[in-house]
Amino acid sequence: MPARNGVQTKILLIEDEQKIADFVCAGLSAREFAVTHCDNGNTGLEHVCQNNFDAVILDLMLPGRDGLSVLKEMRSRGVLTPVILLTARNELGDRVEGLNLGADDFLAKPFFVEELIARIQALLRRLAGERQNTLQVGVLKLDRISRQASCGGQTIDLTAREFSLLEYLMRSAGQVFSRSQILEYVWGYDFDPNTNVVDVCIKRIRGKIADLQEDSDTASAIESVRGAGYRFKKV
Amino acid sequence: MNMSFRTRLFLIAVLILGSVVSTVLILGWSSVLAVELERLDKRLCMEARRLATEPLQLDGIDRLQTDMMGKLHLSSPDQLMLRYQSITGGENFQSVNWLKKFEPNQAQWRTEISADQVASAEPAKNIRLNRRSDQPPNPPSEQPPRERPRGPPEGRSISMGSCSLASFDDQGRQWHVARLPTNLGLGLIAADIADTQAELKNALSQALKFVVPLALVLAALGAWLLSVFMMRPIYRLSNAMKGVTQNALDQRLSTTGEDREFKGLIDAYNTMLGRLEASFQQASRFSADAAHELKTPLTILQGRIEQARNKSDQPMMQAEFTELLDEVGRLSVITRKLLLLSQADAGSLTLQRTSIDLSSLLDESAADMQMLLTDQTLKCDVDRQLLVQGDAVLMQQLFNNLISNAVRYCLPNGLIHLSAHKRGKSIEVQISNTTRPISVEDRARFFDRFFRGDVAHNRRIDGNGLGLSLASEIALSHGGALILTETESNVVAMRLTLPLG
């Protein structure tokens, strides 16, 4: 995916904290992205206006010119490069303001690099005009509009939580998610992290898929990774 | 006593004004009485002079008596006693009702009015004793003609001594006696002033009937006006102070046009407000700074561990890293909660309000609980179409906290009850669960930050003790409330009220 027609996807990271920039760059490079790093708002703005990036990862608190101001200025100059905001401050307020100013997505610190990559990929797919309303891995297909899951044409009756969980795993198939990651994404904040609600839910989804057909391959598509969490098997 | 300051002020003012009015009345009345009595005494002296200098024929006594009665404003002849003692061997007489008891020689006389004064007081005869304007005393010119020519016996001139006065009581009657000696004899005249006093009292009570209520009404009116004027600046100040909320701490009250005393108060208040604003700003800046300072190392920690996990190919190490990541996650949850709590304290919690269907949110929560329960029973009773205006993320957090607690602390084979109903213009959600008995002291500290009851410690239940206090703040910021209702010690019931949106 990052390399399209032999051309690497170009990402600009505007982040003043060197250590954060280091592992983000490392994580993105490992997935074949071409990353450029800027540690201040003014040079970041120049970069984004002069070069043709596929996406910008923009930190909010920056020396020189803060993130929201960079976003506002680049949009007013007609630069439409998609932007993912990294928020650290007053999350809710900045999120709203950022989205109003033309950010495409946001991610609250601390974040997982894998999550960031998933967001970038989803964003690029969306902008490339790919159909986003269905998500298919193998024979499993999710209709994101009607929130219906189907397996080889047969509908699977999933609850809202089960659908969200399956969607989260399938969106980044092949990637391992820990229980607390899944819990935070699917259930939101402040759900007792020590419950086994994730395990129970996964067990139910597996059961529902297994009920449909005797295809053990599909039912075992959700893999348990011992000690780490769960992963949807990449086809 | 729990009466308002204004009422107290009013009552005190009524009391003060009332006592001033009654003092004035009493003093005024007693001086009127004294003046009237003095006037009566003078008149008595004049009449005594008349008696002493104009000895009458016996048959003239009746007429004299009637005349004197008129002048002294007496209503019955009983109230007047006359006596004339001649020392030159002339006629003596005394009225029939003369009290034997009264011995002029034993009485305590006080010389009040000298002969000159009596003479000079002559014109005062015309001064009416009191309000009986309809019965003017007979002017001297109208005095009935005497049978004997006036004036001293031939060849002898009359010289007068000074008039002395005495008073004595007899059977409830108060007599005032005037004595006027001359070189010819001694004139004694006594009048019962009970009537005069009664008349005065009567007149006074007549006046009081109107004056006292009027005075009281005026006093009350004055007191009311006083309390209104006293309270006006206080009300104005308190209204202005009410306008200063957590979000508008930069407001200052204006001192222009205020009285000096209130200027001092306003200055003190403004100073306090300034300090409050400074500390609030410091607190919110602190939380913003703290969030940033904590989140940067947390982000680095999480990113590095994730990187290490992805590089590792040993399942053991991967599991180790995942556990570390969970701990970092816990740390960032606490950071986030502290940030939200300090924002709520500073009144700067930003809500992104949308329409939320509480019914479906609660259905999901109930389904979550159902997944978690093993041998416990869940009872659900949720109305349809419960809509609120609220922040979806915070609302979800609130319910996650409540249901997590219910599941966490519910006893094996226990009961969890979730209900949500429309109550007028608000929605009432109640979540209760059976638990190990919880003391009243522990219950009182439920919403304290970082509080974790014995139950949590004993059962090694995880948590940071921030969830419930944040849940309460979220409810408050949505215009609702989260309270712990009173139940038996083995039941915990939380009641959330939210305005219907």
Side-chain angles (χ1 to χ4, degrees):
Chain A
M1 154 74 204
R4 292 178 179 224
N5 308 323
V7 183
Q8 277 191 320
T9 307
K10 288 189 287 178
I11 305 282
L12 175 66
L13 172 69
I14 310 178
E15 161 68 65
D16 61 322
E17 196 65 48
Q18 189 59 44
K19 287 175 181 173
I20 295 178
D22 283 349
F23 71 77
V24 172
C25 289
L28 290 174
S29 304
R31 295 291 196 92
E32 315 268 311
F33 287 97
V35 196
T36 310
H37 172 228
C38 258
D39 63 359
N40 113 22
N42 288 318
T43 49
L45 184 64
E46 279 169 34
H47 266 86
V48 81
C49 292
Q50 284 161 14
N51 301 299
N52 194 16
F53 287 101
D54 293 298
V56 179
I57 301 163
L58 180 59
D59 188 27
L60 271 185
M61 276 187 145
L62 288 172
R65 187 191 265 274
D66 76 48
L68 286 179
S69 151
V70 170
L71 177 62
K72 204 172 165 184
E73 185 59 30
M74 64 180 269
R75 288 291 185 251
S76 75
R77 290 193 199 173
V79 179
L80 297 172
T81 316
V83 170
I84 295 178
L85 285 180
L86 296 180
T87 66
R89 254 193 308 166
N90 181 343
E91 294 174 19
L92 301 168
D94 285 344
R95 182 183 82 200
V96 176
E97 201 180 339
L99 293 180
N100 286 341
L101 284 174
D104 299 85
D105 204 350
F106 72 94
L107 203 56
K109 286 182 180 176
F111 57 90
F112 287 97
V113 177
E114 292 294 345
E115 179 71 27
L116 177 64
I117 291 170
R119 298 283 182 107
I120 295 170
Q121 287 173 340
L123 192 59
L124 293 179
R125 271 200 297 263
R126 195 166 80 210
L127 291 168
E130 274 183 37
R131 283 164 61 87
Q132 291 285 296
N133 45 9
T134 55
L135 176 62
Q136 189 163 8
V137 182
V139 284
L140 258 181
K141 197 171 166 184
L142 300 184
D143 186 334
R144 283 171 151 162
I145 307 294
S146 63
R147 299 190 75 76
Q148 286 280 322
S150 59
C151 182
Q154 278 180 289
T155 308
I156 314 170
D157 191 18
L158 295 179
T159 65
R161 289 263 191 266
E162 289 162 355
F163 185 90
S164 301
L165 201 163
L166 197 55
E167 185 192 18
Y168 185 57
L169 293 182
M170 282 172 70
R171 198 187 62 172
S172 309
Q175 187 191 328
V176 180
F177 293 100
S178 72
R179 278 177 190 79
S180 52
Q181 251 176 295
I182 296 172
L183 198 63
E184 189 180 314
Y185 181 83
V186 179
W187 275 267
Y189 296 103
D190 227 4
F191 204 94
D192 187 358
N194 287 12
T195 59
N196 55 351
V197 69
V198 175
D199 306 292
V200 175
C201 200
I202 296 240
K203 209 168 135 193
R204 285 180 171 219
I205 299 170
R206 280 179 180 156
K208 283 180 181 177
I209 297 171
D211 279 352
L212 279 181
Q213 55 185 78
E214 296 305 311
D215 180 2
S216 58
D217 276 3
T218 313
S220 61
I222 306 173
E223 293 179 318
S224 304
V225 182
R226 215 177 131 257
Y230 295 98
R231 162 173 68 194
F232 199 90
K233 206 193 281 174
K234 210 170 182 175
V235 180
Chain B
M1 266 227 290
N2 210 357
M3 66 169 66
S4 75
F5 175 64
R6 194 182 157 168
T7 317
R8 216 156 50 218
L9 203 66
F10 174 74
L11 289 180
I12 290 171
V14 165
L15 211 68
I16 292 172
L17 287 177
S19 44
V20 165
V21 165
S22 49
T23 311
V24 166
L25 278 177
I26 289 168
L27 287 178
W29 184 71
S30 50
S31 59
V32 165
L33 197 65
V35 166
E36 289 299 341
L37 285 180
E38 199 182 317
R39 194 172 285 171
L40 184 81
D41 286 346
K42 275 187 179 167
R43 193 163 287 259
L44 269 179
C45 278
M46 280 187 304
E47 297 306 322
R49 172 177 172 249
R50 209 169 129 199
L51 189 68
T53 54
E54 301 173 17
L56 298 170
Q57 285 179 340
L58 282 174
D59 56 351
I61 286 180
D62 285 345
R63 266 217 305 256
L64 182 68
Q65 218 161 5
T66 318
D67 184 42
M68 285 183 176
M69 268 168 58
K71 287 195 178 143
L72 295 169
H73 298 278
L74 302 174
S75 52
S76 112
D78 289 352
Q79 292 173 317
L80 185 69
M81 300 191 296
L82 303 173
R83 185 174 177 176
Y84 181 75
Q85 286 173 294
S86 174
I87 47 173
T88 55
E91 289 173 88
N92 282 348
F93 77 81
Q94 71 179 44
S95 40
V96 281
N97 60 347
W98 187 265
L99 281 168
K100 298 281 183 300
K101 245 162 89 179
F102 180 66
E103 279 301 324
N105 298 332
Q106 285 166 17
Q108 288 197 330
W109 295 101
R110 54 204 155 94
T111 306
E112 288 267 315
I113 303 158
S114 66
D116 305 339
Q117 273 181 309
V118 173
S120 66
E122 195 77 304
K125 269 202 265 186
N126 284 338
I127 295 169
R128 274 167 247 144
L129 181 63
N130 208 341
R131 297 148 198 107
R132 285 202 186 170
S133 49
D134 49 336
Q135 291 179 350
N138 295 339
S141 57
E142 284 170 27
Q143 274 179 9
R146 310 287 166 181
E147 286 176 21
R148 223 173 71 171
R150 292 172 185 221
E154 320 123 44
R156 297 190 67 169
S157 63
I158 301 176
S159 61
M160 283 189 287
S162 54
C163 176
S164 2
L165 292 159
S167 55
F168 71 100
D169 289 349
D170 176 64
Q171 293 168 358
R173 303 176 81 174
Q174 217 189 335
W175 296 95
H176 273 212
V177 191
R179 185 184 71 166
L180 192 89
T182 64
N183 52 349
L184 299 177
L186 182 68
L188 280 165
I189 181 162
D192 176 10
I193 60 154
D195 253 18
T196 313
Q197 270 184 334
E199 190 189 320
L200 273 172
K201 274 182 188 154
N202 195 27
L204 182 77
S205 68
Q206 282 288 331
L208 287 188
K209 261 183 208 164
F210 296 100
V211 172
V212 168
L214 188 71
L216 279 180
V217 167
L218 283 176
L221 192 74
W224 181 75
L225 280 176
L226 189 72
S227 68
V228 166
F229 279 113
M230 278 290 289
M231 292 312 290
R232 188 172 284 174
I234 295 176
Y235 282 144
R236 195 171 55 235
L237 270 184
S238 78
N239 277 336
M241 285 175 184
K242 272 179 206 156
V244 178
T245 60
Q246 279 183 335
N247 297 325
L249 283 175
D250 53 336
Q251 284 181 10
R252 292 291 179 273
L253 302 184
S254 158
T255 55
T256 47
E258 294 289 351
D259 297 322
R260 202 177 49 205
E261 294 82 352
F262 287 104
K263 265 183 190 161
L265 183 66
I266 293 171
D267 282 342
Y269 177 78
N270 280 343
T271 310
M272 189 195 73
L273 212 58
R275 280 210 301 270
L276 200 63
E277 186 193 7
S279 77
F280 259 119
Q281 275 177 347
Q282 211 173 356
S284 59
R285 208 173 33 237
F286 171 80
S287 51
D289 293 350
H292 183 69
E293 296 306 322
L294 283 171
K295 282 205 171 169
T296 304
L298 280 173
T299 308
I300 296 167
L301 212 54
Q302 183 165 319
R304 285 283 181 82
I305 299 171
E306 188 196 12
Q307 203 176 15
R309 185 182 70 179
N310 290 351
K311 276 183 187 163
S312 164
D313 45 10
Q314 291 177 297
M316 279 279 285
M317 289 303 287
Q318 283 183 349
E320 191 78 14
F321 286 133
T322 301
E323 236 172 83
L324 283 179
L325 283 176
D326 285 349
E327 291 305 313
V328 175
R330 274 177 61 168
L331 266 177
S332 52
V333 164
I334 294 175
T335 311
R336 179 177 182 274
K337 280 185 185 174
L338 283 175
L339 175 60
L340 286 174
L341 279 172
S342 51
Q343 282 173 349
D345 289 346
S348 59
L349 193 62
T350 328
L351 301 184
Q352 212 211 333
R353 287 179 191 267
T354 51
S355 186
I356 303 171
D357 183 359
L358 221 55
S359 305
S360 58
L361 201 64
L362 287 170
D363 287 347
E364 276 185 12
S365 296
D368 289 337
M369 281 199 278
Q370 200 65 67
M371 272 198 279
L372 291 167
L373 298 178
T374 45
D375 45 10
Q376 296 100 330
T377 316
L378 173 66
K379 260 175 65 182
C380 266
D381 179 17
V382 176
D383 281 358
R384 294 297 92 196
Q385 285 290 308
L386 297 175
L387 296 178
V388 290
Q389 290 293 320
D391 188 296
V393 176
L394 291 178
M395 214 31 96
Q396 178 76 61
Q397 176 161 4
L398 197 169
F399 285 114
N400 281 349
N401 179 268
L402 292 184
I403 63 168
S404 294
N405 281 343
V407 173
R408 231 187 271 186
Y409 297 106
C410 191
L411 292 176
N413 296 311
L415 175 78
I416 296 179
H417 191 191
L418 170 68
S419 70
H421 300 289
K422 221 174 263 187
R423 294 254 188 280
K425 285 193 170 178
S426 57
I427 296 170
E428 196 178 286
V429 183
Q430 188 144 348
I431 300 175
S432 66
N433 63 280
T434 47
T435 173
R436 297 225 308 223
I438 300 171
S439 67
V440 181
E441 294 78 40
D442 273 4
R443 281 170 186 264
R445 297 189 56 204
F446 255 42
F447 291 95
D448 288 2
R449 286 164 198 186
F450 293 113
F451 171 74
R452 297 180 61 216
D454 286 343
V455 182
H457 289 298
N458 293 346
R459 288 176 62 187
R460 298 208 170 78
I461 289 174
D462 205 44
N464 49 43
L466 286 175
L468 213 48
S469 96
L470 183 55
S472 162
E473 293 292 348
I474 292 172
L476 281 175
S477 69
H478 282 80
L482 178 67
I483 56 159
L484 180 69
T485 60
E486 259 183 53
T487 48
E488 302 101 83
S489 68
N490 63 340
V491 173
V492 168
M494 305 295 301
R495 186 192 297 147
L496 170 74
T497 45
L498 288 171
L500 207 59

